Amino acid sequence: MNNITPPVIDELVLGFWRLLDRQATPQQSLQFLEEAIAAGITHTDHADIYGEYGCEREFGKVLALKPSIRDEIKIITKCGIKPAFPSLGLAGQANHYDSSAQHIIASTQQSLKHFNTDRLDVLLIHRPDYLMNADNVAEAFNTLKQNGDVLEFGVSNFTPSQLNLLQSRLDFKLVTNQVEFSPYEMKALDDGTLDQCQLLDIKPMCWSPLAGGLLFDEKDEKAIRLRHVLAQVGSEIGASSVDQVVYAWLLMHPSCPSVIVGTGNIKRVESAVAAKKLKLNREQWYRIWQGSTGHSVP
Ligand code: NAP
């Protein structure tokens, strides 16, 4: 394993998918960002399409209130999904993917404009495009890298073979595969995704670590079962919340994941940072796995 290159992406990243749902003013969002930075999280995750193309622009308004904050954070964003939003007059069209060089470059230029910045720290292809021409994506990545528009590149929701295909056309290393991974949704453990990250020393980024809030559902049987085990383990390791146990469980994986914290509540952000100090033993890790699957390992 290569331990020489420092990871490009931190252990904890703030996700801004739900930024517009919070109905916060730019000033309130700036305060949230400043408090998160003070707590120790400086990496932020976005996508061109979040909030029907509104979240990047809103985050840009936040940065405009304090331009110097741009140098304190990293901006990770994504492109490649083209939803047929009725709000854009596209009702009746099919949602589709577009990983053509032309679209990747145009989307990046738009993101730069929305954030009002001169560079994206990391750009990801949001979803694997069945029509992806890897040479074409590589051409776009090379252009963006040479121009200084994007510093690093990665993918999201890619299978290992899709990642291998794209990587084979690049002269530099993809830095991440951002995938769904939580105690509630564990398929990345078995489908080769996390194995590949460990093999290639690529940092997986885990989206929806709390299953998008479903973990707290009072009616979902799996969530109820999991919360019981998470609370039990939490009391053993001195955690102050179920969320903290989830973060510690994810961070324990040997692929050294990064966890994208989706909350807009600063207390929960601070609690996520504190969770980095918590340690589970193997039996506790597997007890949570068992809580998720409902059965023991063979
Ligand atoms: P999450 O952390 O699983 O879910 C966040 C949601 O859970 C928020 O609505 C939050 O509400 C709620 N929550 C957190 N703690 C809670 C608690 N103790 N009790 C009740 N509710 C609680 O993360 P996510 O937002 O689904 O995803 C995180 C990030 O991953 C996104 O922002 C986005 O950047 C990224 N993402 C990427 C993809 C992809 O395809 N690449 C897909 C989905 C998401 P509060 O705000 O009130 O705390």
Side-chain angles (χ1 to χ4, degrees):
M1 195 169 85
N2 173 10
N3 283 322
I4 298 162
T5 322
V8 172
I9 301 167
D10 280 351
E11 274 183 315
L12 295 180
V13 173
L14 273 187
F16 283 91
W17 174 27
R18 302 173 193 275
L19 178 58
L20 296 186
D21 301 346
R22 295 174 196 162
Q23 301 193 318
T25 63
Q27 190 60 50
Q28 287 166 330
S29 296
L30 175 63
Q31 189 182 337
F32 173 74
L33 183 60
E34 287 179 319
E35 287 171 355
I37 293 170
I41 308 190
T42 57
H43 292 198
T44 67
D45 185 73
H46 311 263
D48 55 351
I49 58 164
Y50 287 171
E52 303 200 359
Y53 297 97
C55 288
E56 285 190 344
R57 210 182 279 122
E58 184 69 13
F59 196 78
K61 286 185 200 164
V62 175
L63 298 184
L65 290 174
K66 188 181 175 188
S68 64
I69 210 166
R70 172 64 188 95
D71 292 333
E72 295 180 50
I73 62 169
K74 278 197 180 179
I75 295 180
I76 300 159
T77 195
K78 320 181 194 78
C79 68
I81 303 184
K82 290 182 97 173
F85 290 132
S87 60
L88 300 179
L90 300 172
Q93 293 194 18
N95 295 328
H96 59 284
Y97 300 143
D98 187 348
S99 62
S100 65
Q102 193 185 23
H103 177 68
I104 294 170
I105 291 171
S107 180
T108 301
Q109 296 309 333
Q110 181 177 262
S111 294
L112 289 167
K113 208 165 128 199
H114 284 165
F115 289 124
N116 193 21
T117 185
D118 61 346
R119 82 254 178 225
L120 302 177
D121 296 285
V122 188
L123 177 72
L124 314 182
I125 302 294
H126 204 155
R127 291 256 167 200
D129 172 11
Y130 298 114
L131 302 177
M132 177 176 87
N133 176 320
D135 289 312
N136 210 229
V137 177
E139 184 190 316
F141 282 7
N142 285 330
T143 302
L144 292 168
K145 202 174 177 64
Q146 277 157 20
N147 293 347
D149 291 333
V150 180
L151 307 185
E152 308 277 359
F153 298 86
V155 294
S156 179
N157 304 301
F158 270 43
T159 64
S161 65
Q162 288 161 342
L163 190 149
N164 279 337
L165 168 61
L166 181 55
Q167 184 62 77
S168 74
R169 301 301 203 276
L170 296 168
D171 297 333
F172 51 84
K173 221 170 91 173
L174 292 166
V175 295
T176 190
N177 188 5
Q178 184 178 123
V179 294
E180 185 172 17
F181 180 40
S182 71
Y184 193 94
E185 178 49 74
M186 305 193 297
K187 64 180 180 309
L189 285 174
D190 290 307
D191 66 7
T193 300
L194 297 178
D195 301 336
Q196 181 186 46
C197 287
Q198 196 173 168
L199 178 73
L200 301 179
D201 197 16
I202 290 176
K203 196 176 249 315
M205 295 177 75
C206 313
W207 59 260
S208 292
L210 306 173
L214 180 60
L215 187 61
F216 304 98
D217 194 297
E218 294 299 334
K219 295 197 186 86
D220 187 284
E221 205 179 299
K222 182 170 166 183
I224 294 167
R225 198 172 61 223
L226 252 175
R227 281 203 308 277
H228 173 75
V229 181
L230 288 163
Q232 190 186 56
V233 171
S235 71
E236 292 165 14
I237 63 171
S240 58
S241 67
V242 157
D243 326 13
Q244 282 197 323
V245 186
V246 169
Y247 300 136
W249 184 89
L250 289 165
L251 292 172
M252 186 173 164
H253 193 269
S255 60
C256 303
S258 159
V259 177
I260 318 176
V261 176
T263 183
N265 176 326
I266 194 63
K267 292 287 164 227
R268 290 180 180 151
V269 171
E270 288 163 357
S271 157
V273 175
K276 289 203 287 183
K277 292 205 180 82
L278 297 173
K279 299 283 173 246
L280 283 71
N281 62 35
R282 281 173 176 263
E283 186 278 327
Q284 290 162 331
W285 193 93
Y286 275 98
R287 209 186 318 150
I288 292 167
W289 183 95
Q290 182 171 305
S292 177
T293 58
H295 59 77
S296 155
V297 291

